Every structure is written in C-alpha cells, then in structure tokens.
Amino acid sequence: MRWTRAVVSAATLSILLTGCGAGPSDRPGVAVERPVAAGGVKPETNAPAPPPQAEPPKTDLAWRDCTAPTLDGLGLGPAPAGLVLECAEFSTPIDSGGAVLGTFRAGAMRARLPQTPLDVAPLVLTSGVDRPSTATLAGLAIGQGSAMLTARPIVAVDRRGLGASQPIDCLPPEVRRALADNAQFGTGAAQSDRDPAVAMTSLSQNATIACRDFLQPYEGAFDAPHAADDIEQLRKQWQVDHLMLLGSGNGAKVALSYARRYGDHLTRLVLDSPVPVNTDTVTRTEQRVKGAEAALSAFAQHCTGLGCALGVDPRAAVTDLVGRASSGGLGDISASALTTALASYLGDPRADQPDRTAELADALAAAIKGDRPRLVALMRRQAEATGTDGQFVNGCTDTQQQPTPNQAKDLGETWGGKYPVFGRTAALGMLGCVAWPTADVPPLPDKLDLPVLILGAAADPVVGTGGQASVSGALGAAGARHATVTWQGFGHPAFSHSGCAQTAILEYLKEAKLPADGTVCPA
C-alpha cells in the first residue's frame, strides 16, 4: 500500500589521485603506524574472546525474485552471471512503544550468488536516508562484491518511505521542485523571489505543514531510533538472538541507535563512512561539501587520465557549467539540482568507475554544447534515488541544530569562495528543513562491549570524512574497542568500491577480529 493523500490524511587527495584503476581495488591494506586514539586498538594479539556468532533465520521472509525489475529500475543494466536479488516485505509497528497504533510495511532485499550458503547468518545492511538500502546493495552486487556474497547473503532494509518500503507522497509537486532548485526560479511571492533565503524558509514551512499534516498522527515516527526498531522487528521475524549489522553514511546513525536500544542482540557492527555524530548541521554540511569537492577533483584527474569528453581541465569545465546554471544559462536546470546530482553520482555505490566516469563526462560535455537530454536523464535517475518525499521526511526528522536563514545566506557567500562548485548551493539548501520541528538528539550507546569496525573513504561526497573521528570518540566513550580502515579513493560507501575493505569486513564478521587501527586500503 502506497502512502498517498488518499490513504493517510589535500595530502590525502594527492594519494588517492594516483591510484584510480578499473573497478574496486583489490590490493591489500597497509597498516599505518600512528598513536592509538582513545578507544582505538592495536593489532589484536591478545584480544578478548569474540562475541557469539549470529544465527541463520529460523523463520525467514517470503522472498521472491526481483533481480531484473530492481536492476532495470535503478538503471544498472543486466545482472552479472549468477546474481540473485530477492525482495520481501514484513510488518513493523509504527511505534514500538505503543504511543501510536498500527503497522507499517517495511521493504527488504536479499542478494546472493548460487554458491552463497543460506544456512549462515545474513549481514544486515542499512544506508539510512542517503539512498535506499536496496539500491546500495544492488550497486555492490553488480560490482566486484562477489567475495562478500560468496561468504553469506546480505539483506538490505529500507528506511520508512524509501525504496521498497511503504512510500510517502506528501509534497505538492511545485514545492518539491522548488526545494530541489533552492528556489532559484522563484516561488510566486515577490519578496521571496528577491531573497532566496526567504524563499527557502517559506518553502520549508509549506513542505513541513504538508508532510506533517499528511502523516499525522505518525509524523514523529521517522527518526533513526524508529528505523532501528524496524531492524529489531526483522530480528524477531527471523526468530534469532543476534544480528550482524552494517550501517553506511546516515545508516550508521540507525546502526548506532540499534546498538543503544538493542545492543544485547548485536554481535557484529560495521560502520562505513558514518555520518558525524554530536555535530550541528553547519559542521556536517561543510564536511560533506569538502568531501564533494575532493571527490570532484579525483574524478577530474581520473577523467583526464581516460581522455574523457571534458577536455584537458575537467574540473574547470564542471565549475563553469555550474556557474552557467546559477545564472540561468541551462534553462530549467538549476545550480542546486545540478550539484546535487553531481554529488550523488560521485557517491553512487556502483564500482564500475571507468564507465561511470565516462558516462558523467559525456553527459556534462554534451550539456556544455547545448545538448541536455543525457544530463537531464542522469539528474532524474539520481533524484529518484536521493530526492524522494521519504528522504525529505526522514532527513528533516534526523536534523538537529539548524542554521538561521541569515546564517545560511552568509555561509553561501563564504562557502561560494572556498568551495566553488558545491559551497553556495549547499549553504542555501540547509534551509530546506529549517521549519521542521527540531527533534531530540538520539542518544548514543553509553556502554558497548563489542569490537566495532569503522570504514571510510579519503574523498566521500555523501558525508565527507569527519564522521570517522566523531564516531570513534563516541565508541571509545562507550568502552567499545574499534579500528578504522580508510580507502584512498573517491566514492561512497567504501566497502562497495574496495576489495581491501571487503576483506577487512569478512575477516571481522568471521571472528570479530579487528585489523590494525589506521589501516589504509589503496585506491
């Protein structure tokens, strides 16, 4: 059932630029000597006994093959030989505490190969609100993720309103489009048209009223803790005592909420490119912008090495194109929609980097010459993955400590100089959630007797690189042993691009053994 109005009333960069090869790197990790941070680990020569293994499901979901429609819908092409994607749904309480009665339909997808054992515990994946978890899993599955899938199935659980879960359709079309465009083309109010910050504030108010009215009395049930409750419901459906959980990007926030609420049922925890914790919106946004600028620079160098369609200086060509969009030179393509699609594409979980680089370069080069259809199609595909009403609701619900309109306007000027491609639009875009009521910050685990593996990329256009340090600190405060592994490439999440990162995950899942803290995976 679809939820509709009718139903519910720098140095690092130089390292990564040298190693952009075809597909994910399978070169082994390199242990880097460095002081052990608070809560960090040395190689585990005398490590404590590992936590218990997770169990295979006793009562599984009613899986059905969905390989072709999933890959076709995501524009991923035909399935690699032997890949099987299976979809299923399960019911989950809207509020596990009973404050709101009723159930919600959660969507899940399982990826496996013919040789994948089904009598072992699956790895549960959540990418939170960044893009549907099922799309993240599909991106891994069509790449060189066979080592992970050979060892055990992976089950992705979509967050509420995203992907295969019960959709949300709450934004009026004109408001949805204007928010995506940062009100560049006006909203019909003269004052708003002169001041984009005022226009975005007004749009946020309209969007908030529309979605909260539409969702009531469920409007408070879309935060990370509720997403963790859905994963707990899956555990109960499976009738098992323990889960293995991988949270990437915003999904790390969901995974940490699960660890806080249901830590006794968690036996492995991997956090890949985690969103920063205990930080305000401005700090998180600037970290993401830095990551996007670094990823664009890496793309540009890779593009040059391939002799791509953007010529001798791809970065300058992209910067000029964004400038043209800002001044209305690309017709109805706004600067905000263009930069959002760029960051999303650079952070796509697909690992076919040469093909992706050529596809993006060809679309941008054609648009520079006035031929826009390829770019428009690329932008539409990315918007469908990252710009749905469900992402608006979940993203705003997860947002704390938002900037004022004047602060966002001032930051637009500052960031426009520091971060010439992504800075200005990102600053103004923070106002999309400014009218949404600020929720309490979900508490982090206060005690976690579990080794945790933390991954990241040197240039991450989805969350930036600040998350590893903040999450490491929070885990250290909770008493959890942990280790970090950094892939020296660009993209998101790290595990879908790096065979080295996948090897670290597999070894950890097997015996809960952590690698040396500070391990580096070459690009």
Side-chain angles (χ1 to χ4, degrees):
M1 180 176 65
R2 182 177 177 86
W3 244 338
T4 64
R5 293 176 184 275
V7 178
V8 180
S9 183
T12 301
L13 182 60
S14 67
I15 295 174
L16 71 93
L17 291 179
T18 63
C20 297
S25 170
D26 289 321
R27 287 183 285 168
V30 178
V32 177
E33 289 288 339
R34 72 179 189 188
V36 178
V41 298
K42 297 178 181 179
E44 293 193 278
T45 55
N46 297 305
Q53 288 283 355
E55 307 88 10
K58 295 178 182 176
T59 304
D60 213 341
L61 304 180
W63 298 106
R64 66 185 184 278
D65 189 282
C66 59
T67 310
T70 297
L71 298 181
D72 290 346
L74 295 171
L76 297 178
L83 174 66
V84 178
L85 302 178
E86 298 164 300
C87 295
E89 296 82 32
F90 61 96
S91 293
T92 182
I94 291 174
D95 184 80
S96 62
V100 179
L101 300 179
T103 60
F104 176 81
R105 176 171 56 79
M109 187 174 77
R110 180 172 69 179
R112 62 181 177 86
L113 298 170
Q115 63 269 41
T116 304
L118 296 180
D119 58 350
V120 298
L123 173 63
V124 179
L125 166 68
T126 172
S127 51
V129 74
D130 299 325
R131 68 174 64 228
S133 303
T134 49
T136 299
L137 178 55
L140 167 72
I142 67 162
Q144 298 183 24
S146 60
M148 291 187 67
L149 292 178
T150 299
R152 66 183 67 247
I154 303 177
V155 173
V157 180
D158 280 330
R159 198 158 162 172
R160 300 181 176 191
L162 273 67
S165 289
Q166 194 168 323
I168 298 173
D169 183 6
C170 62
L171 289 172
E174 66 278 8
V175 173
R176 184 187 300 115
R177 176 61 189 269
L179 280 172
D181 291 335
N182 272 1
Q184 179 175 330
F185 304 117
T187 61
Q191 181 185 11
S192 295
D193 290 349
R194 290 195 301 267
D195 189 337
V198 174
M200 284 295 288
T201 301
S202 177
L203 285 167
S204 180
Q205 292 168 346
N206 293 338
T208 298
I209 291 170
C211 287
R212 289 181 66 85
D213 285 353
F214 166 74
L215 291 169
Q216 65 177 339
Y218 316 125
E219 67 273 18
F222 294 89
D223 56 8
H226 280 86
D229 291 342
D230 294 344
I231 294 175
E232 172 63 3
Q233 185 62 29
L234 175 63
R235 184 194 67 79
K236 292 179 178 178
Q237 176 81 25
W238 280 344
Q239 297 184 27
V240 298
D241 292 329
H242 302 94
L243 290 180
M244 297 177 167
L245 185 55
L246 191 165
S248 67
N250 173 269
K253 193 171 188 177
V254 176
L256 287 169
S257 287
Y258 189 91
R260 164 80 184 199
R261 297 162 77 89
Y262 308 108
D264 290 345
H265 296 296
L266 189 61
T267 189
R268 303 288 190 275
L269 178 59
V270 182
L271 304 176
D272 190 328
S273 311
V275 65
V277 298
N278 297 325
T279 54
D280 58 75
T281 297
V282 171
T283 300
R284 290 193 300 273
T285 303
E286 186 170 15
Q287 289 175 346
R288 173 170 56 82
V289 169
K290 288 179 180 178
E293 294 281 348
L296 178 61
S297 293
F299 159 82
Q301 182 143 341
H302 192 200
C303 197
T304 301
L306 294 174
C308 73
L310 289 174
V312 296
D313 193 345
R315 201 184 203 288
V318 173
T319 304
D320 180 69
L321 188 65
V322 172
R324 285 173 56 189
S326 299
S327 61
L330 293 183
D332 61 353
I333 297 179
S334 68
S336 175
L338 176 56
T339 56
T340 298
L342 281 173
S344 177
Y345 195 90
L346 292 171
D348 194 296
R350 292 183 301 159
D352 53 335
Q353 200 167 78
D355 291 342
R356 289 172 53 239
T357 298
E359 182 184 26
L360 179 57
D362 289 347
L364 295 171
I368 290 171
K369 297 175 182 177
D371 181 11
R372 305 189 314 159
R374 275 180 286 183
L375 179 59
V376 171
L378 184 150
M379 292 174 62
R380 182 180 300 115
R381 191 167 71 236
Q382 293 303 317
E384 290 171 352
T386 64
T388 66
D389 292 5
Q391 276 145 334
F392 172 77
V393 170
N394 283 278
C396 288
T397 304
D398 275 354
T399 299
Q400 287 93 27
Q401 297 174 277
Q402 302 180 64
T404 65
N406 285 338
Q407 185 181 9
K409 188 189 305 184
D410 291 343
L411 285 170
E413 295 300 318
T414 303
W415 289 358
K418 291 174 65 177
Y419 315 115
V421 174
F422 298 98
R424 194 178 302 274
T425 57
L428 192 59
M430 288 188 291
L431 297 177
C433 292
V434 71
W436 196 275
T438 301
D440 294 333
V441 178
L444 296 168
D446 54 2
K447 184 177 181 181
L448 188 62
D449 186 19
L450 183 72
V452 182
L453 178 60
I454 308 173
L455 308 173
D460 188 318
V462 176
V463 300
T465 58
Q468 282 182 304
S470 67
V471 167
S472 294
L475 291 171
R481 296 173 293 121
H482 61 272
T484 61
V485 175
T486 301
W487 171 57
Q488 297 287 57
F490 75 92
H492 178 95
F495 80 91
S496 69
H497 297 278
S498 170
C500 163
Q502 293 173 20
T503 297
I505 293 175
L506 287 171
E507 292 179 353
Y508 167 73
L509 296 181
K510 185 178 180 180
E511 301 290 345
K513 180 181 179 181
L514 293 170
D517 190 27
T519 294
V520 171
C521 286

